[in-house]
């Protein structure tokens, strides 16, 4: 596996939407003809993917919100995986 790009500014493509399902109490990634139920803090991570923050900026913001969490190790690979799926541009 290659190292993710830290200076990339990830964003959801226009056809995808991040929504919160209040009934289930979880975040959803709504794609054309498909819905992905996000687990844990995935919705929080995706909420920061607005095309203005770099991966490094997202990691820094999450590290501030969740002290002690392994965001520096996990988040770049998570974002890279979503990019490979075509869910981030």
């Amino acid at each position: 596996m290659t190292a993710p790009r830290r200076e990339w500014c990830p964003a959801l493509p226009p056809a995808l939407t991040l929504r919160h399902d209040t009934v289930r109490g979880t975040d959803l990634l709504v794609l054309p003809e498909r819905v992905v139920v996000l687990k844990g803090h995935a919705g929080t991570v995706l909420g920061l993917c607005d095309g203005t923050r770099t991966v490094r900026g997202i990691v820094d913001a999450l590290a501030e919100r969740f002290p002690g969490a392994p965001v520096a190790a996990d988040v770049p690979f998570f974002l890279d995986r979503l990019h490979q799926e075509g869910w981030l541009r």
Side-chain angles (χ1 to χ4, degrees):
M1 186 180 302
T2 61
R5 300 165 291 154
R6 301 232 177 217
E7 297 308 316
W8 165 48
C9 294
L12 290 173
L16 278 61
T17 306
L18 180 62
R19 292 206 175 126
H20 183 74
D21 182 344
T22 55
V23 173
R24 292 183 186 102
T26 190
D27 292 315
L28 306 171
L29 184 58
V30 181
L31 296 84
E33 301 182 22
R34 183 174 175 192
V35 174
V36 177
V37 178
L38 301 173
K39 296 182 182 178
H41 292 289
T44 303
V45 175
L46 284 177
L48 295 172
C49 295
D50 59 6
T52 65
R53 294 178 181 92
T54 63
V55 172
R56 181 170 295 155
I58 293 168
V59 166
D60 291 346
L62 291 168
E64 195 172 303
R65 283 189 201 181
F66 306 104
V71 296
D74 295 345
V75 170
F77 287 102
F78 172 70
L79 295 176
D80 189 55
R81 176 63 193 259
L82 294 182
H83 184 259
Q84 290 174 17
E85 291 288 336
W87 300 346
L88 286 174
R89 58 178 171 97

